[in-house]
């Protein structure tokens, strides 16, 4: 028994090591990083974080990223809800093909869309706005959201719908007052996965933005190439990007198992 | 085969049980005779599954001892106790054929292949599984799968007791009677000790020779199905068994006679009442109540047709009395009089039957 | 569930359809356009038939990238699937540690991919990185910026670090959904640990494992950001996988024709795999 619990412990230790190294560096000066090798900052400093919180080029990066991630999550889940309902309750011409086509987009390599998206979003005048990224990400997130929500909805028997109609609810009334609360866990899981994929995806985010809507990822690369290796700053920036993710997992920790249990990741 | 003795056996799911309510199963003594067919009957949460798992070894009791014949098995694991258990839903090994499913317990114990083959064929024919022996177990219907579960218990010749935990739960209603019949038949053929847990009285009363009625972690009454029906020792038994259940009417006992709704009601045991109870009731089953020329004055409220008889609900004051009236007999409309069969009408004090059979078990 | 036939359901699906179509069909049309045409500038296009396709399919550069990709994906699957399963099996099923474990394990999955790459880029540096220093300190000459072998090692290690948790979470969810009664019956039947794994756990995990395998297959086949940030495709082009090669061609060299052709070929490979995925899953559910 004892030996068994060692396995997850060692694994988690392995997972935390690079993160610890990153956080370690974020509290050091770049000179210390390049000049010596220490497991704990010799001169503990907040200067990297201060720079990020006070320099607009930096903190705007975070705000821009958050903007499109939140916009995308809300958009993806909202349009996915009625569609998932349709797939779960009804049969219609082309339903299976449509479902498959949606899923196939989740499997599309972002690299294939890099250049075409660049041209498309420039053509519609959305280049360098958070909307471009939010919309582009729906390519992957909407099918995912539909898939997850459909799974949860199929677990709710049709009798619930029918009872509501018998009780006199109109369709919107039934949908928002009864159905949505029933699948709240599913909506939570869908939001989690949409947030996750949008927050971490960066090829499209960088391709579709340049200055105004630049996400934090692009800002980080600039640091590495233009003014040499400002490692301390880079580390602090990186550490800060972990926080929203940690936050979100904490909130949905009870649903993680359930969401994966559907096997519909 | 074994005689099972439970001594002062109790179980709590809480680490340090203090109050009565902490005990899922309150300490009890119980004997199961070798080769008997028993049912543990009671509503959800009464402790019957806890008791079953204590006997099978899936749970270790907080208190007390369990003996199989003379061997103390209290701390032995299930495989060391030589028991078999059939669960609520079919538990089979999906990737194996029916044959291999049945052979599995024997193979794990290192039995010779020739013996295994003989046993599997025998059990398969007992359970009508022969035609499906070479099929994948996952392809069978729910009742087929339950039979496989049962079969795995039967293949082993050294099984002390077979336990059933509400095994007909997922079976289609029209197949339930077939499986019930099969179980009874198997018991008579193999003469193994069988303990059957259920909340369904029909299953319990048709399968068992002895029924243990439980409620709230305690044994309320043990007896044959007839005993339970005709002489319930607790109002719970009277109410739980029979459909509809026993009528329970508050009464007083004066000068050795029961008085209800202003009139004397003849009972079998009113004279034995010694007084001092918080609540005194008359219990009588609807089967033993009839309309008559005189008796308790009632107003007929509702007549429900149940096929071969009708269930009539009548009212005396604020009390409802149910009775069964056979097809063809007339039911007075409006007012009438009810007669209770004196031999089958009994007084209960604080829920327990008054008289020579005594109160607590 | 019995679904009723209702063509009006298309209204529910319309927003999704339009959104995804906008993002999928229009760009793909652009790609197809470029794949079958040739331009010498000034927006003059001529039909080039299968020229680009042949060029790509015959180019050694494409073959090498494809080959590297296949090897990489195979290594990833061979390590991550059994490892993830093993960790999931070792995790407690109930208790206070469960959510702590799950949260910590999920952390790598939520880090932006460029940060993952940057983190490992520094972590593995031979002079200032903990990993790099440690390995070199053990006497092994390790420098992923110069040695292809070390670059591959670091790449694989990074991916394992990044994605194994996905497999763990999926398998764990599958494991806890196995009712206790199965384990109890196995106990009663006298089955040993290995038999329990082989006859109860593995069969019940088939659905979940299929998803894990296919997701990891697909996502590792499309790997881009973290790989690019870690090695940039190097040293040389020793770690230039398919996506990296494609982006180099498309956004770097603006070789529209070949890039478009390669995109289509790439997409078709993945599409074929999606179809496989879908069919296998549906067949599983029918069972």
């Amino acid at each position: 028994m004892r030996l068994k619990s060692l396995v997850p412990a060692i694994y988690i230790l392995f997972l935390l090591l690079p993160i610890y190294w990153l956080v370690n560096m974020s509290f050091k000066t770049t000179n210390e990083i390049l000049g010596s090798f220490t497991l704990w900052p010799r001169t503990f400093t907040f200067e990297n974080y201060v720079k990020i919180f006070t320099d607009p080029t930096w903190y705007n990066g975070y705000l821009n990223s958050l903007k499109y991630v939140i916009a995308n999550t809300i958009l993806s889940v909202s349009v996915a809800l009625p569609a998932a309902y349709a797939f779960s309750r009804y049969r219609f011409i082309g339903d299976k093909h449509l479902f498959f086509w949606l899923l196939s987009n989740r499997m599309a390599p972002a690299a294939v869309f890099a250049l075409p998206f660049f041209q498309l979003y420039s053509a519609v005048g959305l280049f360098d706005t958070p909307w471009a990224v939010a919309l582009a990400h729906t390519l992957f997130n909407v099918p995912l959201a539909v898939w997850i929500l459909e799974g949860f909805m199929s677990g709710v028997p049709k009798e619930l719908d029918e009872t509501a109609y018998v009780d006199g609810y109109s369709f919107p009334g039934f949908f928002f007052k009864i159905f949505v609360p029933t699948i709240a866990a599913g909506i939570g899981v869908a939001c989690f996965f949409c947030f996750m994929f949008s927050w971490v995806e960066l090829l499209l985010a960088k391709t579709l933005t340049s200055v105004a809507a630049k996400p934090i990822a692009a800002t980080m690369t600039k640091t590495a190439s233009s003014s040499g290796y400002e490692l301390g700053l880079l580390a602090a920036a990186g550490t800060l990007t972990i926080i929203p993710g940690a936050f979100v997992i904490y909130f949905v920790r009870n649903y993680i198992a359930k969401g994966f249990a559907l096997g519909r990741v | 085969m074994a005689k099972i003795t439970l001594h002062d056996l109790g179980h709590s799911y809480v680490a340090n049980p203090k109050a009565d309510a902490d005990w899922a199963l309150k300490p009890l003594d119980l004997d199961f005779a070798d080769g008997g067919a028993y049912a543990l009957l009671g509503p959800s949460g009464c402790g019957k599954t806890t008791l079953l798992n204590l006997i099978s070894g899936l749970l270790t009791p907080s208190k007390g001892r369990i003996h199989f014949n003379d061997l103390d098995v209290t701390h032995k694991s299930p495989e060391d106790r030589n028991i078999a258990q059939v669960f609520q839903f079919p538990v089979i090994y999906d990737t194996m054929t029916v044959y291999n499913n049945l052979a599995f317990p024997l193979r794990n114990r290192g039995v010779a292949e020739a013996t295994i083959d003989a046993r599997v064929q025998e059990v398969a024919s007992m359970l009508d599984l022969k035609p499906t022996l070479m099929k994948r177990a996952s392809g069978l219907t729910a009742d087929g799968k339950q039979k496989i579960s049962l079969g795995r218990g039967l293949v082993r010749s050294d099984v002390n007791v077979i336990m059933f935990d509400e095994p007909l739960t997922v079976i289609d209603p029209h197949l339930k009677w077939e499986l019930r019949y099969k179980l009874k038949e198997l018991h008579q053929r193999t003469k193994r000790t069988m303990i059957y847990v259920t909340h369904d009285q029909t299953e319990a009363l048709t399968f068992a020779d002895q029924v243990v009625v439980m409620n709230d972690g305690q044994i309320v009454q043990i007896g044959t199905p007839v005993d339970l029906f005709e002489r319930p020792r607790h109002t719970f038994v009277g109410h739980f068994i029979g459909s509809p259940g026993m009528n329970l009417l508050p009464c007083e006992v004066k000068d050795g006679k029961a008085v209800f709704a202003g009139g004397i009601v003849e009972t079998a045991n009113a004279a034995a009442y010694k007084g001092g109870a918080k609540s005194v009731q008359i219990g009588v089953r609807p089967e033993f109540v009839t309309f008559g020329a005189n008796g308790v004055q009632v107003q007929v409220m509702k007549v429900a047709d149940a096929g071969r008889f009708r269930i009539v609900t009548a009212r005396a004051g604020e009390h409802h009395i149910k009775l069964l009236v056979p097809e063809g007999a007339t039911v007075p409309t409006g007012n009438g009089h009810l007669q209770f069969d004196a031999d089958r009408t009994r007084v209960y004090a604080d829920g327990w039957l008054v008289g020579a059979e005594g109160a607590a078990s | 569930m019995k679904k009723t036939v209702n063509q009006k359901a298309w209204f529910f699906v319309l927003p999704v359809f339009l959104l995804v179509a906008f993002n999928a069909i229009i760009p793909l049309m652009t790609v197809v356009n470029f794949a079958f045409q040739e331009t010498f500038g000034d927006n003059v296009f001529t039909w080039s038939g299968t020229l680009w396709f042949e060029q790509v399919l015959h180019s050694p550069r494409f073959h090498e990238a494809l080959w590297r990709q296949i090897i990489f994906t195979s290594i990833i699957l061979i390590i991550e699937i059994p490892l993830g399963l093993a960790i999931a099996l070792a995790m407690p099923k109930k208790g206070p540690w469960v959510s702590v474990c799950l949260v910590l394990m999920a952390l790598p999955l939520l880090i932006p991919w460029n940060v993952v790459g940057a983190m490992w880029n520094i972590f593995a540096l031979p002079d200032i990185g903990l990993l790099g220093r440690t390995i070199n300190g053990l006497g092994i000459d390790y420098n992923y910026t110069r040695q292809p072998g070390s670059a591959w090692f670091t790449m694989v290690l990074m991916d394992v670090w990044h994605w194994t948790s996905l497999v763990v979470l999926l398998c764990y969810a599958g494991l806890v959904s196995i009712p206790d009664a199965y384990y109890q019956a196995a106990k009663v039947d006298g089955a040993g640990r290995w038999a329990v794994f082989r006859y109860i756990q593995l069969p019940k995990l088939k659905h979940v494992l299929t998803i894990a395998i296919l997701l990891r297959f697909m996502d590792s086949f499309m790997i881009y950001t973290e790989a690019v940030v870690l090695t940039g495709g190097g040293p040389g082009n020793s770690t230039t996988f398919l996506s990296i090669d494609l982006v180099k061609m498309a956004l770097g060299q603006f070789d529209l024709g070949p890039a478009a052709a390669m995109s289509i070929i790439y997409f078709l490979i993945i599409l074929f795999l999606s179809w496989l995925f879908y069919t296998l899953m549906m067949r599983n559910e029918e069972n």
Side-chain angles (χ1 to χ4, degrees):
Chain A
M1 241 345 247
R2 267 293 183 77
L3 205 67
K4 227 172 72 146
S5 51
L6 215 56
V7 174
I10 296 179
Y11 178 62
I12 291 180
L13 192 65
F14 166 61
L15 292 184
L16 292 176
L17 268 176
I19 300 179
Y20 142 72
W21 195 244
L22 191 73
V23 176
N24 181 20
M25 282 198 316
S26 71
F27 289 113
K28 291 184 186 174
T29 61
T30 307
N31 283 330
E32 186 184 335
I33 297 174
L34 291 173
S36 56
F37 180 82
T38 49
L39 294 178
W40 183 257
R42 206 176 290 145
T43 30
F44 195 95
T45 171
F46 280 110
E47 71 183 31
N48 298 312
Y49 288 100
V50 168
K51 176 104 203 289
I52 294 179
F53 283 117
T54 51
D55 184 350
T57 2
W58 278 103
Y59 64 69
N60 273 332
Y62 290 105
L63 291 177
N64 288 334
S65 294
L66 276 174
K67 272 191 214 165
Y68 69 69
V69 169
I70 294 178
N72 174 273
T73 304
I74 297 178
L75 181 61
S76 298
V77 176
S78 311
V79 300
L81 273 170
Y85 184 79
F87 281 118
S88 146
R89 271 27 183 175
Y90 301 122
R91 268 209 317 252
F92 45 94
I93 304 179
D95 55 1
K96 286 209 177 58
H97 298 97
L98 185 64
F99 200 63
F100 170 61
W101 174 70
L102 282 179
L103 288 188
S104 71
N105 289 303
R106 162 68 180 82
M107 321 292 172
V112 164
F113 290 94
L115 183 55
F117 270 3
F118 178 72
Q119 296 176 324
L120 173 65
Y121 284 96
S122 302
V124 296
L126 283 175
F127 179 74
D128 206 20
T129 66
W131 287 110
V133 189
L135 284 171
H137 282 174
T138 60
L139 177 63
F140 313 109
N141 277 346
V142 163
L144 185 66
V146 170
W147 196 20
I148 294 178
L149 287 170
E150 194 270 336
F152 275 93
M153 289 184 184
S154 296
V156 178
K158 253 171 81 168
E159 282 73 38
L160 185 73
D161 313 19
E162 284 154 18
T163 315
Y165 298 143
V166 165
D167 284 346
Y169 279 91
S170 62
F171 180 73
F174 151 71
F175 195 76
F176 291 107
K177 293 206 196 116
I178 300 185
F179 197 64
V180 165
T182 315
I183 51 159
I187 297 183
V189 172
C191 284
F192 168 71
F193 283 111
C194 285
F195 178 93
M196 176 179 147
F197 280 117
S198 191
W199 179 245
V200 299
E201 198 290 325
L202 288 149
L203 173 55
L204 294 181
K206 276 171 66 179
T207 312
L208 292 171
T209 58
S210 65
V211 181
K214 198 189 336 223
I216 184 61
T219 324
M220 282 176 71
T221 4
K222 173 174 171 264
T223 311
S225 55
S226 67
S227 36
Y229 259 149
E230 277 195 49
L231 282 173
L233 201 51
L234 201 68
T239 308
L240 286 176
T241 61
I242 301 183
I243 296 180
F247 217 52
V248 172
I249 313 176
Y250 183 73
F251 269 129
V252 298
R253 68 191 181 285
N254 291 324
Y255 299 115
I256 289 182
K258 226 194 246 185
F260 279 95
L262 269 202
R264 286 173 177 258
V265 184
Chain B
M1 248 88 72
K3 173 171 143 71
I4 302 176
T5 319
L6 310 177
H7 180 71
D8 199 30
L9 191 70
H11 191 72
S12 169
Y13 290 105
V14 170
N16 285 320
K18 292 178 204 73
D20 241 13
D22 293 335
W23 291 90
L25 188 71
K26 300 177 176 61
L28 53 78
D29 293 315
L30 188 53
D31 286 349
F32 294 94
D34 192 356
Y38 294 88
L40 301 181
L41 174 67
S44 305
C46 70
K48 54 192 195 294
T49 304
T50 306
L51 181 55
L52 195 76
N53 286 336
L54 286 171
I55 300 176
S56 63
L58 292 167
L59 264 184
T60 310
S62 314
K63 173 172 200 253
R65 296 194 308 278
I66 306 175
H67 288 259
F68 282 20
N69 290 328
D70 294 317
L71 189 61
D72 186 339
V73 298
T74 319
H75 295 284
K76 284 199 191 291
S77 64
E79 57 259 39
D80 291 333
R81 296 191 199 197
N82 285 327
I83 54 108
Q85 188 156 338
V86 179
F87 297 88
Q88 260 180 344
F89 54 88
V91 174
I92 54 162
Y93 302 103
D94 297 311
T95 48
M96 297 189 204
T97 57
V98 176
Y99 185 97
N100 286 328
N101 258 276
L102 294 174
F104 191 62
L106 295 176
R107 290 210 176 108
N108 283 328
R109 286 170 169 83
V111 177
E113 274 304 312
T115 324
I116 294 183
D117 191 60
R119 294 291 302 152
V120 170
Q121 297 291 350
E122 194 190 329
V123 170
S125 62
M126 263 202 266
L127 293 167
D128 303 323
L129 284 174
K130 271 225 151 131
T132 55
L133 265 183
M134 287 311 163
K135 285 211 192 126
R136 255 190 142 188
S138 53
L140 268 62
T141 53
D143 58 304
K145 290 180 182 173
Q146 276 297 48
K147 285 200 223 166
I148 298 179
S149 288
L150 177 56
R152 286 206 313 274
L154 291 172
V155 277
R156 295 155 46 200
S157 44
D158 59 347
V159 164
N160 283 322
V161 56
I162 305 183
M163 332 261 244
F164 301 88
D165 190 354
E166 315 215 36
L168 302 184
T169 309
V170 296
I171 311 293
D172 279 338
H174 65 278
L175 288 170
K176 275 199 217 233
W177 74 264
E178 206 185 278
L179 267 176
R180 276 210 307 263
Y181 176 78
K182 185 55 101 189
L183 287 175
K184 188 79 185 152
E185 185 193 39
L186 278 168
H187 177 255
Q188 278 160 355
R189 262 177 84 167
T190 63
K191 304 256 186 299
R192 301 269 177 84
T193 317
M194 292 187 180
I195 305 180
Y196 189 109
V197 162
T198 179
H199 60 271
D200 182 322
Q201 44 170 315
T202 322
E203 282 174 31
L205 297 174
T206 48
F207 172 78
D209 301 326
Q210 289 277 319
V211 179
V212 178
V213 182
M214 295 179 68
N215 187 35
D216 207 24
Q218 294 179 299
I219 297 181
V220 179
Q221 183 169 356
I222 307 176
T224 63
V226 173
D227 272 345
L228 294 177
F229 190 80
E230 305 228 323
R231 276 175 295 278
R233 290 207 343 206
H234 191 281
T235 49
F236 173 77
V237 178
H239 171 72
F240 193 74
I241 296 194
S243 186
M246 179 182 266
N247 288 303
L248 290 168
L249 309 164
C251 71
E252 289 176 318
V253 178
K254 289 202 190 102
D255 306 318
K257 294 255 187 228
V259 175
F260 169 71
I264 293 185
V265 174
E266 291 295 336
T267 61
N269 63 343
Y273 178 60
K274 295 182 177 51
K278 274 187 239 108
S279 80
V280 188
Q281 290 162 307
I282 301 182
V284 62
R285 288 204 180 275
E287 288 82 349
F288 306 127
V289 178
T290 48
F291 281 108
N294 42 25
V296 179
Q297 171 119 22
V298 294
Q299 214 185 352
V300 174
M301 303 293 301
K302 196 165 75 163
V303 181
D305 198 321
R308 275 181 291 123
F309 51 85
R310 280 161 293 165
I311 305 176
V312 179
T313 311
R315 201 179 70 166
E318 19 172 79
H319 305 292
H320 289 243
I321 307 177
K322 287 202 166 107
L323 62 150
L324 300 184
V325 177
E327 218 171 10
T330 43
V331 177
T333 45
N335 292 340
H337 293 268
L338 290 182
Q339 298 223 308
F340 300 172
D341 184 339
D343 281 334
R344 280 152 161 154
T345 310
R346 294 187 179 83
V347 177
Y348 291 85
D350 288 331
W352 292 98
L353 183 67
V354 163
E357 283 148 274
S361 67
Chain C
M1 177 173 343
K2 280 234 188 90
K3 303 187 190 179
T4 46
V5 181
N6 182 353
Q7 306 307 332
K8 281 203 265 199
W10 264 99
F11 284 113
F12 285 153
V13 177
L14 211 54
V16 161
F17 180 71
L18 288 176
L19 204 52
V20 178
F22 175 73
N23 277 313
I25 299 186
I26 301 180
L28 280 187
M29 276 168 25
T30 318
V31 172
V32 169
N33 240 342
F34 282 128
F36 287 102
Q37 293 182 22
E38 193 171 351
T39 174
F40 291 102
D42 295 334
N43 259 327
V44 175
F45 288 94
T46 48
W47 178 257
S48 57
T50 55
L51 173 67
W52 299 128
F53 290 95
E54 284 167 37
Q55 188 178 313
V56 169
L57 285 170
H58 287 132
S59 89
R61 173 176 163 179
F62 175 72
H63 293 163
E64 283 164 30
L66 182 60
W67 191 230
R68 281 183 216 118
Q69 182 71 72
I70 292 177
I71 297 182
F72 179 69
T73 297
S74 309
I75 299 179
I76 291 302
L77 284 175
I78 291 175
I79 299 180
E80 288 179 13
I81 304 290
L83 181 62
L85 181 57
I87 296 175
L89 285 169
M91 275 185 65
K93 300 227 173 55
K94 289 189 270 257
W97 288 109
V98 172
S99 41
V100 174
C101 276
L102 291 179
V103 167
L104 287 174
M105 288 188 185
L107 207 51
L109 297 173
L110 281 159
I111 303 180
W113 294 344
N114 72 313
V115 178
V116 173
M119 214 191 312
W120 275 85
N121 185 314
I122 303 175
F123 186 61
L125 281 174
D127 45 354
I128 55 172
L130 184 59
L131 180 71
R133 270 294 269 260
T134 314
I135 297 185
N136 280 307
L138 287 173
I140 306 172
D141 178 24
Y142 168 78
N143 186 340
Y144 74 86
T145 54
R146 300 230 191 88
Q147 305 150 345
S150 302
W152 271 79
F153 169 74
T154 317
M155 189 74 79
V156 169
L157 195 60
M158 176 180 73
D159 196 279
V160 167
W161 178 89
H162 190 186
W163 290 107
T164 307
S165 291
L166 187 68
V167 184
V168 175
L169 287 169
L170 275 170
C171 289
Y172 181 73
L175 276 176
V176 294
S177 67
I178 301 179
D180 271 339
Y182 280 89
Y183 295 107
Q184 292 168 344
K187 250 197 188 164
V188 166
D189 286 340
R193 188 85 192 75
W194 173 248
V196 168
F197 175 70
R198 189 173 157 202
Y199 295 118
I200 297 181
Q201 292 175 314
L202 209 51
K204 295 255 170 257
L205 287 177
K206 209 166 58 157
H207 181 78
V208 163
L209 276 175
T210 310
I211 295 177
I213 293 174
L214 284 155
L215 271 181
R216 284 315 304 137
F217 191 123
M218 233 143 294
D219 285 346
S220 75
F221 218 75
M222 304 196 275
I223 193 172
Y224 179 75
T225 312
E226 61 253 61
V228 142
V229 177
L230 179 65
T231 61
N237 55 6
S238 55
T239 56
T240 301
F241 303 124
L242 277 176
S243 274
I244 300 177
D245 196 35
L246 176 57
V247 172
K248 235 187 236 174
M249 232 199 285
L251 291 179
Q253 302 165 263
F254 264 88
D255 245 344
L256 301 181
M262 181 174 163
S263 295
I264 293 186
I265 296 172
Y266 196 7
F267 202 5
L268 282 177
I269 298 178
I270 308 261
L271 215 60
F272 169 65
L273 293 167
S274 321
W275 170 79
L276 207 68
F277 181 30
Y278 192 69
T279 320
L280 274 172
M281 278 242 333
M282 290 303 116
R283 236 196 312 139
N284 253 333
E285 292 194 7
E286 260 153 58
N287 273 346

